[in-house]
Amino acid sequence: MIRRITFLLSLIVFSCQTAPQEDKDLLLNLMKQNSDQFNDIIKNPALYEVQIIYTQINRDANNQPHFKTFYFNTDSNRYFYPASTVKLPAVMLALEKLNDLNVAGLDKYTTMLSDSVYSGQQSVLKDSTAATGLPSIAHYARKILVVSDNDAFNRLYELIGQKEFNEKLADKGYSARILHRLQRFLTPDQNRHSERIRFVHGDSIIYEQPMLINQDSISPPERILKGKGYIKGDDVLVNEPFDFTYKNFLSLTDQHAILRSIIFPESVPPSKRFGVGEDDRKFVLKYMSQLPEETTYPPYYKDTTYYDAYSKFLLFGNDHDQIPSGLRIFNKIGDAYGYMIDNAYVVDFDHNVEFMLSAVINCNTDGIYNDEKYDYENIGYPFMKNIGQAVYHYELKRNRMNKPDLSEFKFQYDR
């Protein structure tokens, strides 16, 4: 109830403001209109490395969406660490791979076992958080989409394979470098090798994938150095820039484009879409928007460390109160090395509002990496909440020729 009252009060405050002109400076004007929230960011864009992409959606008389996109300080060549945002294309490529394999009896719910056959690898033969007690692509995807689980991403990375991960995205026109697993400190060689995978039904093997090896060394055209120092080993400060050369990369423009290809596949060329069926796409949309308290397997609803906005940075930051029931956010967040990112399609069923918004901000203002002193609380969360709210309230006032039918984005959640 507190969250709903706060949310309604914020509507009143924003409704008293004049809407800025819809031009290339729309996002800048929105921030200037709320200068108390954004003044430091506007004055120091290089320090915070902020990039924002906002897409308006207008429906025609047949409910077909038409798009108009606005940018702030966006540069597809400027490096930032994408963190967990790489997990969304991993889910889509894993489902696409199943579709391409087209093996009888093999689907996203089939038990998927991982076998360690190379240095640094880890076997997985069970999953106590699944309804069956066994791992599967569906369960890994669910864990990624609801709470951004790292191990689940690693398992899909291994299924896809490093080489195929990068080639498939490149074939679709997305410029990415996906070089490593998450939260597992492995060498480049170890990351080029994937666990052997078996899909089984009882004691029967339905499909077996041998260890995949990427013989090619994927690297950027030049070294990527950031900051002025980093912590190494036992709290030893090295006064040299931190090397991101062999870290993952996925630009904000491509993240935004990937999100659009999933939410509105018919709006992009067939070559940029993921090869999944409508059932798989709806599965992804459901769990992108499902909250932890609505999730039975894994039993996130029992875990008090998860709250509604746990993986919903835009609009809500780090708020721990309940998100209004009429609002759904289909998104993928990321935060690591001081970078905070969110890519979201926002739907307000009560006010017939929809829009897409992607943003990244650097919260490592002291330039020291690996010291875990990233200012997410005072910089990252407030920025994500404020920019999301600014665009949302602008959308509430924006005139639309046609009322959108958003029923396709309503789902029956797990609980």
Side-chain angles (χ1 to χ4, degrees):
M1 180 59 71
I2 294 174
R3 157 53 67 80
R4 287 183 173 84
I5 293 173
T6 303
F7 203 74
L8 290 172
L9 287 174
S10 68
L11 294 186
I12 296 172
V13 173
F14 274 86
S15 66
C16 297
Q17 300 174 352
T18 302
Q21 183 181 358
E22 290 187 22
D23 57 21
K24 65 182 180 65
D25 294 323
L26 174 59
L27 287 164
L28 177 60
N29 290 338
L30 277 176
M31 289 190 285
K32 285 181 176 179
Q33 204 170 67
N34 300 279
S35 59
D36 59 321
Q37 298 172 347
F38 299 106
N39 196 44
D40 195 32
I41 288 169
I42 293 171
K43 289 183 177 180
N44 301 284
L47 174 64
Y48 295 108
E49 301 180 45
V50 168
Q51 298 185 56
I52 311 170
I53 306 174
Y54 158 45
T55 296
Q56 292 177 358
I57 303 166
N58 295 291
R59 303 276 180 162
D60 61 24
N62 296 316
N63 203 47
Q64 294 301 307
H66 299 268
F67 305 88
K68 185 176 182 180
T69 300
F70 301 86
Y71 302 87
F72 174 78
N73 200 38
T74 306
D75 183 350
S76 296
N77 296 315
R78 186 190 308 138
Y79 182 85
F80 66 87
Y81 184 68
S84 292
T85 58
V86 301
K87 296 172 185 175
L88 182 57
V91 170
M92 300 306 294
L93 289 176
L95 293 171
E96 180 178 274
K97 184 162 190 172
L98 275 188
N99 190 56
D100 290 343
L101 286 172
N102 194 26
V103 174
L106 175 59
D107 61 26
K108 59 180 175 287
Y109 300 105
T110 305
T111 298
M112 173 181 154
L113 306 180
S114 302
D115 300 322
S116 173
V117 292
Y118 194 76
S119 172
Q121 296 186 351
Q122 296 177 348
S123 296
V124 177
L125 303 178
K126 60 183 179 180
D127 189 332
S128 62
T129 69
T132 61
L134 296 168
S136 66
I137 288 175
H139 195 58
Y140 287 139
R142 192 179 294 115
K143 292 198 283 187
I144 286 171
L145 297 172
V146 178
V147 300
S148 198
D149 187 272
N150 284 326
D151 178 72
F153 164 78
N154 294 340
R155 298 307 165 184
L156 298 190
Y157 168 97
E158 292 150 9
L159 170 67
I160 301 162
Q162 187 191 78
K163 183 180 180 68
E164 186 175 337
F165 204 138
N166 288 275
E167 288 182 346
K168 287 288 187 179
L169 289 179
D171 289 344
K172 298 178 193 304
Y174 305 120
S175 179
R177 292 188 304 275
I178 311 301
L179 304 179
H180 60 85
R181 298 166 177 84
L182 300 178
Q183 276 197 335
R184 281 171 62 186
F185 301 102
L186 304 176
T187 66
D189 175 70
Q190 290 170 330
N191 276 312
R192 287 197 293 268
H193 291 71
S194 68
E195 278 82 338
R196 181 180 63 196
I197 292 172
R198 292 173 290 136
F199 288 97
V200 304
H201 181 71
D203 295 329
S204 300
I205 296 178
I206 298 173
Y207 177 77
E208 185 171 3
Q209 176 176 282
M211 177 175 63
L212 300 180
I213 307 171
N214 184 10
Q215 304 287 2
D216 302 322
S217 179
I218 304 172
S219 62
E222 58 186 24
R223 292 185 70 192
I224 300 171
L225 304 175
K226 304 283 289 184
K228 61 184 181 182
Y230 61 93
I231 300 298
K232 181 179 180 180
D234 297 327
D235 295 327
V236 176
L237 175 62
V238 179
N239 290 304
E240 296 176 359
F242 188 65
D243 193 345
F244 282 92
T245 306
Y246 292 97
K247 299 290 185 184
N248 293 335
F249 173 69
L250 184 60
S251 73
L252 194 71
T253 51
D254 280 331
Q255 292 180 25
H256 196 76
I258 286 170
L259 179 66
R260 176 169 160 176
S261 77
I262 298 168
I263 305 293
F264 301 104
E266 298 301 321
S267 76
V268 303
S271 61
K272 298 186 76 67
R273 302 173 196 168
F274 292 90
V276 302
E278 188 61 11
D279 177 71
D280 285 340
R281 191 181 78 90
K282 291 293 187 181
F283 174 89
V284 171
L285 293 180
K286 172 182 173 177
Y287 287 106
M288 283 178 76
S289 56
Q290 181 165 296
L291 302 175
E293 68 174 9
E294 298 167 328
T295 307
T296 307
Y297 293 103
Y300 295 137
Y301 73 98
K302 295 181 180 179
D303 191 337
T304 58
T305 62
Y306 295 123
Y307 46 96
D308 281 10
Y310 179 82
S311 292
K312 311 292 180 189
F313 295 162
L314 289 166
L315 274 81
F316 298 105
N318 198 28
D319 290 355
H320 281 52
D321 296 321
Q322 189 176 19
I323 291 178
S325 59
L327 197 66
R328 284 289 167 179
I329 302 175
F330 302 76
N331 74 313
K332 187 69 203 73
I333 55 91
D335 61 303
Y337 291 113
Y339 288 103
M340 181 172 278
I341 316 110
D342 198 352
N343 303 277
Y345 168 61
V346 178
V347 180
D348 183 339
F349 297 109
D350 294 338
H351 297 90
N352 296 304
V353 163
E354 61 175 334
F355 63 92
M356 290 176 58
L357 183 63
S358 296
V360 58
I361 186 170
N362 178 14
C363 306
N364 184 20
T365 54
D366 67 1
I368 305 297
Y369 289 94
N370 283 342
D371 62 355
E372 301 306 320
K373 295 179 181 178
Y374 307 129
D375 206 345
Y376 296 126
E377 293 293 334
N378 296 319
I379 296 175
Y381 286 121
F383 167 76
M384 287 292 176
K385 176 180 178 177
N386 292 336
I387 194 62
Q389 291 278 343
V391 172
Y392 170 70
H393 292 297
Y394 175 73
E395 280 280 332
L396 286 174
K397 296 176 292 181
R398 192 169 68 80
N399 291 327
R400 289 170 171 79
M401 291 284 291
N402 300 288
K403 177 181 174 181
D405 177 0
L406 302 171
S407 57
E408 69 168 304
F409 298 106
K410 290 186 175 180
F411 292 92
Q412 185 68 42
Y413 295 103
D414 289 353
R415 65 183 303 272

